[in-house]
Amino acid sequence: MDSLLGVNEELAEIEGQISDIFRALSNGFQKLEKIKDSNRQSRQLEELTAKMRDCKRLIKEFDRESKDSEYKNDSDTNKMLSEKKQTMIKELNSYVALKKQYTSNLENKRVDLFEGPGEGFAEENVLLASNMTNQQLMDQGNQMMDETDQAIERSKKVVHETIDVGTETAAALKSQTEQMSRIVNELDSIHFSIKKASQLVKEIGCN
């Protein structure tokens, strides 16, 4: 960083930020070595991955600022800046490789993803997961999610069909209820007519 202060203050500041991130990554991976719990390891890897993304962004800024200032620098300074950038990239790539290694180890530990309905499958599943590449693990996970989605869609279809049947049944019951109501009204009318006719018959008989 000191060597850049006399060349470009902005580059010196970016280099300082990158150096801070590299120290944090180094400490983070050392801490990761001591963590045994898979979930905590996963969270720590997520934090380290975020720092690596920040570092990549800063290296791009460093490269952009270096190119913008090329015309003001002599050839030795431009060579020094290029070498610094390459060194940063190599160091970042070393942490990326470490991250991939830990991610692969974590994926192999997560054999519960492949557990079957019985305990007898446990040993077989451990062997299956340990022999799989990351891509195969992802493909297997995607396949299981697709099967789950299909099962959900089938269930949704059954529910919709049940709702349709219920709606049709309700409509039929409503129609029958209205029909029975009309019949009751007609019976009342007939009963009234019969009652009136009986009354007339009685009156005629009396005369």
Side-chain angles (χ1 to χ4, degrees):
M1 180 175 175
D2 293 338
S3 62
L4 288 179
L5 281 173
V7 177
N8 185 309
E9 289 186 5
E10 188 170 347
L11 283 175
E13 184 180 345
I14 294 172
E15 184 191 25
Q17 292 176 23
I18 291 172
S19 296
D20 290 341
I21 291 177
F22 282 149
R23 279 193 293 273
L25 287 171
S26 177
N27 294 333
F29 278 106
Q30 288 176 17
K31 180 181 176 182
L32 194 60
E33 286 279 355
K34 300 173 184 176
I35 298 174
K36 302 301 180 185
D37 180 69
S38 296
N39 290 328
R40 286 182 59 202
Q41 279 187 343
S42 182
R43 286 194 296 271
Q44 178 73 358
L45 273 176
E46 287 175 7
E47 292 177 9
L48 293 172
T49 301
K51 290 184 186 299
M52 283 185 270
R53 280 197 294 266
D54 288 340
C55 189
K56 183 179 179 181
R57 175 181 55 80
L58 286 168
I59 290 175
K60 286 183 177 180
E61 284 185 22
F62 185 93
D63 182 48
R64 191 161 47 245
E65 181 63 26
S66 297
K67 288 177 179 176
D68 288 344
S69 62
E70 272 182 353
Y71 71 97
K72 296 186 294 185
N73 304 327
D74 54 42
S75 59
D76 289 338
T77 300
N78 287 331
K79 181 180 178 183
M80 179 265 292
L81 292 175
S82 177
E83 288 174 351
K84 276 188 176 292
K85 184 190 74 173
Q86 293 302 323
T87 300
M88 293 172 184
I89 292 172
K90 285 179 182 178
E91 188 166 355
L92 177 59
N93 284 339
S94 69
Y95 288 119
V96 171
L98 262 179
K99 181 245 180 182
K100 287 181 179 178
Q101 179 183 337
Y102 277 102
T103 301
S104 178
N105 291 339
L106 272 177
E107 291 293 343
N108 288 338
K109 286 179 183 178
R110 289 172 180 165
V111 294
D112 56 311
L113 179 66
F114 305 98
E115 285 182 359
E119 295 180 359
F121 296 100
E123 186 176 346
E124 181 181 347
N125 288 329
V126 170
L127 184 61
L128 173 66
S130 63
N131 288 335
M132 279 184 166
T133 63
N134 285 344
Q135 186 59 47
Q136 288 172 323
L137 286 165
M138 289 173 64
D139 290 343
Q140 180 71 16
N142 288 334
Q143 181 183 343
M144 293 181 71
M145 285 190 288
D146 288 342
E147 291 173 357
T148 303
D149 287 342
Q150 291 170 9
I152 291 171
E153 287 301 320
R154 286 195 295 272
S155 299
K156 285 167 65 177
K157 185 178 179 182
V158 170
V159 170
H160 285 308
E161 289 175 352
T162 303
I163 291 172
D164 290 341
V165 170
T167 302
E168 291 173 3
T169 302
L173 286 171
K174 184 180 178 183
S175 175
Q176 289 177 6
T177 301
E178 290 173 351
Q179 186 177 358
M180 290 179 69
S181 180
R182 286 195 299 271
I183 292 172
V184 169
N185 290 336
E186 288 173 3
L187 287 172
D188 286 341
S189 178
I190 292 170
H191 178 69
F192 178 77
S193 298
I194 291 174
K195 190 174 180 182
K196 193 171 182 180
S198 296
Q199 188 175 354
L200 286 172
V201 169
K202 285 181 182 178
E203 290 176 358
I204 293 170
C206 291
N207 291 333

